[in-house]
Amino acid sequence: MLPAALSNRHIHLSQVDIETLFGKTYDLTKFKDLSQPGQYAAEEKVDLVGPKGTIKGVRVLGPARGKTQVEISLADGFVLGVKPPIRDSGDVAGSPGVKIVGPNGEVEMQEGVIAAARHIHMHTSDAEAFGVVDKQRIKVRTTGERAVIFENVLVRAHETYALEMHIDVDEGNAAALKNGEMVELIID
C-alpha cells in the first residue's frame, strides 16, 4: 500500500519566464512544501488564457525548471479550448500552448500544456521492496464505493523521491479518492 495525492492544475516556470511574469531577478516565495523533497507550492499564481477561456489563479510550483510546463486536467482543457495530451512530465513536444499572464508581464507559450500521466514517485529502496523498476508501467487499485483500477501507472524511482502516487483531480474525483488515502500496487 502507498499514499495517493490528487494533483490540481499547476505550472512549473523557467527562471526566464518567472522574471517576465513577476519582474527581473525575481525569486519565488515558498507557500508550503510538497511531498517530494525540494519541491514546493509558491505563493505566486498566474492566469492561463486559451482560445476559448481563462483559468485564473493557477498555482506556481517551485523551484524554477529548465522549461515552462503547464499541467491541467482534461476538463480544464475544455475551459481553455485546448486539448492537452496525456504525457509524462517533461514530454511537451507538440503539445498546445497558452498565454500565461502574471502581474508584470505575459508569456505566449508555443507548447507545454499537458495532462500529466498518472505516476508513482518512489525512492529506489521502495521500488526494490515493491519489486518494480523505474519507468515500469503497473496497475493501482483504490478502495471504497467507487473503487477503480488505474492502468498504465508510470513508476518513477529515484533516490531523491518520496513514496506517493499522483493522479489529477478528475481521476481522483471519479474514484472518490482523497489526498493521503492508501492504494494498492498490482504487478502482473
Side-chain angles (χ1 to χ4, degrees):
M1 299 293 279
L2 69 145
L6 281 62
S7 182
N8 203 355
R9 67 182 73 100
H10 60 273
I11 186 168
H12 301 278
L13 294 170
S14 68
Q15 186 61 41
V16 170
D17 288 346
I18 290 170
E19 293 184 14
T20 300
L21 296 165
F22 297 100
K24 289 286 182 205
T25 69
Y26 192 88
D27 288 319
L28 296 174
T29 307
K30 187 186 293 184
F31 170 64
K32 70 176 182 177
D33 287 320
L34 299 176
S35 62
Q36 296 308 305
Q39 304 294 306
Y40 60 90
E43 293 279 352
E44 292 78 10
K45 296 179 181 179
V46 296
D47 297 340
L48 303 179
V49 181
K52 185 177 169 189
T54 299
I55 298 176
K56 294 189 169 290
V58 175
R59 178 78 62 187
V60 176
L61 300 188
R65 292 237 180 135
K67 188 171 185 175
T68 293
Q69 175 176 296
V70 174
E71 295 182 32
I72 62 173
S73 70
L74 297 178
D76 289 336
F78 291 119
V79 172
L80 293 171
V82 297
K83 187 173 181 176
I86 299 168
R87 300 269 184 85
D88 297 338
S89 184
D91 181 7
V92 299
S95 64
V98 292
K99 184 186 338 181
I100 307 165
V101 180
N104 289 358
E106 299 178 352
V107 172
E108 193 71 53
M109 294 177 67
Q110 299 306 307
E111 64 181 15
V113 178
I114 65 168
R118 52 182 83 110
H119 58 279
I120 299 171
H121 292 275
M122 60 176 63
H123 190 275
T124 49
S125 62
D126 292 317
E128 187 175 323
F130 281 113
V132 296
V133 296
D134 187 48
K135 295 188 175 60
Q136 184 176 346
R137 301 274 177 178
I138 61 171
K139 297 176 185 176
V140 172
R141 181 187 345 258
T142 69
T143 60
E145 279 187 69
R146 299 191 77 188
V148 300
I149 295 176
F150 290 110
E151 297 193 16
N152 301 316
V153 180
L154 175 68
V155 172
R156 297 182 66 198
H158 193 273
E159 61 192 26
T160 61
Y161 291 164
L163 185 62
E164 190 172 61
M165 176 182 172
H166 290 175
I167 57 175
D168 71 27
V169 172
D170 289 353
E171 292 175 304
N173 287 340
L177 194 62
K178 295 186 177 21
N179 282 324
E181 284 189 39
M182 302 301 279
V183 296
E184 177 188 1
L185 263 69
I186 301 171
I187 304 163
D188 292 333

